[in-house]
Amino acid sequence: MTRRKMLVGNWKMYKTIAETRSFAEVLGRNLGKLSAEMDFAVCPPFTALQVAKVVLPTQVAVGAQNMHQSKNGAFTGEVAAPMLQEIGVKYVVLGHSERRQMFAETDEAVRDKVEAAQEAGFIPILCVGENDAERNSGETMTVVARQTQIGLEKARPDGDAIVIAYEPVWAIGTGKTPSPKDAEKVIAAIREVVVVALGETEAAKTRILYGGSVKPANIAEFVAEKDIDGALVGGASLDPESFVAMAEAMGQVSGR
Ligand SMILES: O=C[C@H](O)COP(=O)(O)O
């Protein structure tokens, strides 16, 4: 089963509308470096989504960084699926560890968001990953299996309708990473959980990304692993030259 490789930039709380325009301009001058065999996306803050959708080249899809599981309601500060549908986003990052840790998102809330996002026609990027304490106490597999299993409980049995991102919390924004072999082991274990949730055929289609301190210099070694289908990148995705460099490095990984 060949899965299209994928590079996703999560801009977190960075970039104004003007900065989004500048990013798109640079990207537009480098389009020849984006392989037609891969999928690309960036996930700007809500305020820049609409502009991103207009100014980014069509090869680069737009994703949101979160959404509420309800279609509307008295949820101050939240954004719902119909609002994102109007903009035309393709992906929604759900259950990012920063949302889980700082905004108290539970596995069950993330599960309901996955269901709502798929109902709205978006492809959720379901994030899972252990924190430092969990890693040190040998709980990595237990934690990612639980987050994946609950996250997929209400998901459609369709491997093309979901993307999973394995992001060890201790690797996010720290410059530290697991070895590609260790990331591969965890991602292969995640795929086994997907087999149980979605069935073997759909699990073989499901793309599972690695995220955490990915940059142009290390991306190729991660995506060269059999089960790692791309990267979810924070810091290094903010600079368009760096985004393009990662796209090029991924494109050069052969034998997939
Ligand atoms: O969503 C992206 C991740 O949190 C990774 O962030 P980072 O590439 O800055 O470590």
Side-chain angles (χ1 to χ4, degrees):
M1 165 67 61
T2 309
R3 294 179 292 268
R4 276 172 76 85
K5 280 184 269 180
M6 194 172 175
L7 176 62
V8 183
N10 173 15
W11 288 354
K12 307 191 179 184
M13 200 172 70
Y14 293 97
K15 290 203 191 292
T16 61
I17 288 173
E19 289 163 342
T20 300
R21 286 185 191 280
S22 308
F23 181 98
E25 270 167 35
V26 179
L27 208 57
R29 291 199 291 272
N30 286 279
L31 281 187
K33 296 177 182 167
L34 303 188
S35 162
E37 310 303 313
M38 288 173 49
D39 290 335
F40 300 96
V42 294
C43 305
F46 288 131
T47 45
L49 276 179
Q50 192 170 6
V51 163
K53 179 70 188 159
V54 174
V55 298
L56 282 168
T58 51
Q59 293 95 318
V60 182
V62 172
Q65 298 176 17
N66 179 35
M67 60 166 255
H68 198 275
Q69 55 271 45
S70 302
K71 287 196 174 73
N72 54 38
F75 299 106
T76 301
E78 291 289 319
V79 165
M83 300 159 191
L84 298 173
Q85 277 174 322
E86 273 185 335
I87 292 173
V89 307
K90 181 166 184 182
Y91 302 100
V92 184
V93 175
L94 294 175
H96 190 282
S97 60
E98 287 150 16
R99 303 284 324 164
R100 291 179 190 262
Q101 286 188 325
M102 291 185 261
F103 301 96
E105 279 191 11
T106 61
D107 292 334
E108 289 71 22
V110 175
R111 171 195 64 198
D112 293 347
K113 288 176 181 221
V114 167
E115 181 186 33
Q118 288 189 332
E119 270 174 13
F122 309 138
I123 299 176
I125 300 177
L126 167 65
C127 300
V128 300
E130 83 285 3
N131 64 29
D132 212 17
E134 291 160 343
R135 176 197 187 209
N136 293 335
S137 55
E139 291 176 86
T140 297
M141 296 298 186
T142 316
V143 169
V144 298
R146 188 200 72 230
Q147 291 175 336
T148 307
Q149 187 251 316
I150 298 177
L152 294 179
E153 264 173 4
K154 296 181 179 174
R156 286 215 315 266
D158 177 353
D160 291 323
I162 185 108
V163 173
I164 297 174
Y166 168 54
E167 299 206 311
V169 179
W170 52 271
I172 295 176
T174 59
K176 291 192 269 181
T177 65
S179 70
K181 287 276 170 258
D182 283 348
E184 163 71 14
K185 263 189 228 158
V186 179
I187 286 179
I190 291 172
R191 197 173 301 284
E192 289 310 308
V193 180
V194 182
V195 168
V196 176
L198 306 184
E200 196 142 359
T201 310
E202 299 308 317
K205 291 196 278 179
T206 304
R207 286 177 296 179
I208 309 182
L209 316 180
Y210 167 74
S213 295
V214 172
K215 53 189 179 182
N218 66 11
I219 194 165
E221 57 195 48
F222 284 103
V223 300
E225 295 293 335
K226 183 168 73 67
D227 276 287
I228 304 182
D229 302 312
L232 177 59
V233 187
S237 74
L238 293 171
D239 172 4
E241 309 276 1
S242 161
F243 187 89
V244 169
M246 289 188 286
E248 283 190 294
M250 279 179 73
Q252 282 160 14
V253 177
S254 57
R256 292 288 306 272

